[in-house]
Amino acid sequence: MLLIIYPIWDVVATIADILINRGTGSLTPQYVNLGMSGIAAVAVNIAIRQGVPQALIVFGIWAMIAGVIQLIMGLQRQKALGGQWPIIISGGQSTIGGLSFIILANSPALGIASLAGYSAFGAFYFLLAAITITKRLRKGY
C-alpha cells in the first residue's frame, strides 16, 4: 500500500509547491514530477497485481526519476533562493533509493524493508523543506 501512497503524497506535495511558487520562474520540473508521480501511482497499482518484484521495479523507476527532478529543481532554486539543501539531499537519496528498489526487486522482503527507511528519510526531508519554506516566507523572500 505504501508503494502506492508515496507517489500520491508526492502529487499532493507537488501541487502545493506549484501553488506556492507561482510566478517565481519555470515550474516545468514540478509539472513533470506531478505527471510522473500520478502515472507512478497507477502503474504501481497495476504492477502489484503481477507481484511485489514488479511493483518494486516500477516504484524504483519512479523514485529515480523523481529524485533526478528534485536534484535539478533544488539546484536551480539554490542559485535563486538558497536554503535548498533538504531538497537536494532528498533528490540524491531518492535516486539512490530507487536504484536499490530495482536491485532488490528479486528479494522482495529486503525491498519492502528498505521502503520503511526510504519513507522515513523522505518524510524527514519533507519536514525540513516545509520548515525552510515557512521561515523564508516569514522573512518575505
Side-chain angles (χ1 to χ4, degrees):
M1 190 64 154
L2 188 56
L3 290 171
I4 298 167
I5 292 172
Y6 205 96
I8 292 171
W9 175 254
D10 199 49
V11 166
V12 172
T14 302
I15 289 170
D17 184 76
I18 289 168
L19 293 174
I20 290 168
N21 289 294
R22 282 185 292 189
T24 61
S26 174
L27 296 174
T28 301
Q30 289 94 319
Y31 284 115
V32 170
N33 190 57
L34 181 66
M36 289 300 305
S37 295
I39 291 167
V42 172
V44 169
N45 192 28
I46 292 168
I48 197 75
R49 295 180 184 138
Q50 303 299 315
V52 174
Q54 290 81 358
L56 285 170
I57 290 169
V58 171
F59 185 85
I61 291 168
W62 165 76
M64 286 177 53
I65 294 169
V68 169
I69 292 169
Q70 278 184 322
L71 278 169
I72 291 168
M73 189 174 58
L75 291 169
Q76 286 175 345
R77 286 185 180 170
Q78 180 67 24
K79 292 176 187 175
L81 302 172
Q84 298 298 305
W85 62 270
I87 298 297
I88 294 168
I89 294 170
S90 177
Q93 181 258 329
S94 189
T95 303
I96 293 167
L99 181 59
S100 75
F101 290 123
I102 294 168
I103 292 169
L104 295 174
N106 290 319
S107 301
L110 290 174
I112 295 297
S114 66
L115 182 61
Y118 176 83
S119 298
F121 278 108
F124 175 72
Y125 293 129
F126 269 114
L127 177 63
L128 286 178
I131 291 168
T132 301
I133 289 169
T134 301
K135 285 183 178 182
R136 295 188 73 76
L137 288 174
R138 285 186 183 155
K139 290 182 179 180
Y141 291 94

